[in-house]
């Protein structure tokens, strides 16, 4: 006779009792009583003006462009005969050009190539002139910053003259070159390290310490005199 026994199993006893079910909150009880179900909002909605499905939030959202609105409010103190829809479209173009200007400036600063356009002071209203915004738009069209090549000026624009106060650049020794000069520098360094004469100028260091102590003493003395004067005025 052959008998197949079940696989041995060992049940480990539980240290703590199983957790109790969480009681429903007041809102869950109210929703269950009223039959309210949680529904997920879709990201696309129907735009009645554009007659197409558009995003609920973000760029090109449904009903988000004020220039496409059928009603435009006339600001207080504005000309009632002015076309408000044209004003909204013009402000949008200026805002887009200003954002492009900031993008080009940030890109030029990141590449250490200078600003794309010379920084011009903004008007009190926060808007730049139409000439400046037009120039920014032309530079943005000519520039190839998205391809990794930045062109800070227009093709026929004259180049800026170099600054006269050019800084001095550090010169580094070549990695491969004169071995005799490198050997002499190393020997001189070893000679200074092995000599008994200290590398530090003790006289200069002592004079510097004395000047610092005199300055601190003068500052403390002036502070005490000012405190005495204040006490005399209080009396």
């Amino acid at each position: 006779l052959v008998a197949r026994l079940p696989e041995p199993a060992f049940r480990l006893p539980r240290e703590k009792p199983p957790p109790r079910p969480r009681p429903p909150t007041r809102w869950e009880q109210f929703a269950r009583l009223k039959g309210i179900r949680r529904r997920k909002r879709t990201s696309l909605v129907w735009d009645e003006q554009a007659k197409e499905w558009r995003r609920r939030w973000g760029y090109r959202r449904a009903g988000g462009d004020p220039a496409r609105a059928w009603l435009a409010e006339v600001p207080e103190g504005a000309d009632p005969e002015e076309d408000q829809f044209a004003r909204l479209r013009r402000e949008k173009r200026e805002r887009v050009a200003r954002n492009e200007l900031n993008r080009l400036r940030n890109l030029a600063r990141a590449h250490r190539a200078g600003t794309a356009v010379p920084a011009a002071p903004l008007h009190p209203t926060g808007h730049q002139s139409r000439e400046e915004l037009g120039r920014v738009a032309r530079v943005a069209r000519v520039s190839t910053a998205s391809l990794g090549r930045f062109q800070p000026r227009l093709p026929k624009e004259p180049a800026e003259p170099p600054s006269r106060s050019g800084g001095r650049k550090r010169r580094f020794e070549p990695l491969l070159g004169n071995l005799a000069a490198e050997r002499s520098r190393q020997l001189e360094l070893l000679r200074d390290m092995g000599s008994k004469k200290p590398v530090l100028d003790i006289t200069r260091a002592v004079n510097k310490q004395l000047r610092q102590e005199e300055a601190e003493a003068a500052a403390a003395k002036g502070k005490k005199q000012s405190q005495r004067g204040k006490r005399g005025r209080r009396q």
Side-chain angles (χ1 to χ4, degrees):
L1 297 177
V2 179
R4 293 185 178 181
L5 301 178
E7 295 292 336
F10 178 75
R11 292 186 177 183
L12 183 65
R14 188 181 180 92
E15 180 183 1
K16 296 181 180 180
R20 298 179 180 179
R22 182 180 60 85
T25 61
R26 296 184 60 182
W27 165 251
E28 292 177 352
Q29 295 177 3
F30 177 78
R32 186 180 304 173
L33 179 63
K34 296 295 183 179
I36 301 175
R37 296 182 179 181
R38 185 177 180 180
R39 294 181 300 177
K40 184 178 180 181
R41 300 179 65 182
T42 59
S43 60
L44 297 179
V45 293
W46 178 257
D47 192 353
E48 293 293 341
Q49 298 180 2
K51 301 300 180 181
E52 62 180 3
W53 291 93
R54 291 198 172 185
R55 298 183 182 275
R56 188 184 299 271
W57 306 280
Y59 177 66
R60 292 181 60 84
R61 63 184 182 274
D65 190 359
R68 298 189 300 106
W70 63 274
L71 178 64
E73 182 180 359
V74 180
E76 184 178 359
D79 186 8
E81 301 297 333
E82 182 184 5
D83 189 359
Q84 300 300 323
F85 297 98
R87 179 183 61 83
L88 293 176
R89 289 191 294 269
R90 183 175 64 254
E91 290 180 356
K92 182 178 180 180
R93 287 196 300 268
E94 293 177 357
R95 186 167 59 253
V96 171
R98 192 178 303 107
N99 293 338
E100 184 67 17
L101 170 63
N102 295 332
R103 186 184 70 85
L104 294 177
R105 283 180 174 175
N106 295 336
L107 184 64
R109 189 181 299 110
H111 288 277
R112 297 181 180 179
T115 56
V117 180
L122 296 178
H123 296 284
T125 57
H127 297 281
Q128 291 178 321
S129 62
R130 296 183 181 179
E131 292 77 8
E132 295 172 348
L133 294 177
R135 183 179 183 279
V136 171
R138 292 194 300 272
V139 171
R141 286 194 296 268
V142 175
S143 176
T144 56
S146 59
L147 301 178
R149 299 186 300 273
F150 181 74
Q151 186 172 353
R153 58 178 60 87
L154 297 175
K156 297 183 180 180
E157 185 178 358
E160 299 179 358
S163 60
R164 297 182 179 179
S165 60
R168 297 178 59 184
K169 297 183 179 180
R170 296 179 58 186
R171 293 185 179 181
F172 298 94
E173 298 294 336
L175 298 178
L176 300 177
N178 192 358
L179 298 179
E182 183 179 358
R183 181 181 179 183
S184 62
R185 287 195 302 270
Q186 298 295 337
L187 291 176
E188 185 178 357
L189 178 60
L190 291 175
R191 193 180 304 109
D192 293 340
M193 293 175 61
S195 63
K196 297 182 179 180
K197 183 179 179 181
V199 181
L200 178 64
D201 192 352
I202 300 178
T203 305
R204 185 176 180 182
V206 170
N207 294 336
K208 183 177 180 180
Q209 181 66 21
L210 291 176
R211 287 195 299 270
Q212 185 176 359
E213 292 178 357
E214 291 177 358
E216 292 177 357
K221 185 177 180 180
K223 187 176 181 181
K224 290 182 180 179
Q225 290 180 357
S226 62
Q227 291 179 356
R228 290 178 182 176
K230 290 181 180 179
R231 291 176 182 175
R233 287 194 296 270
R234 290 178 182 176
Q235 293 176 358

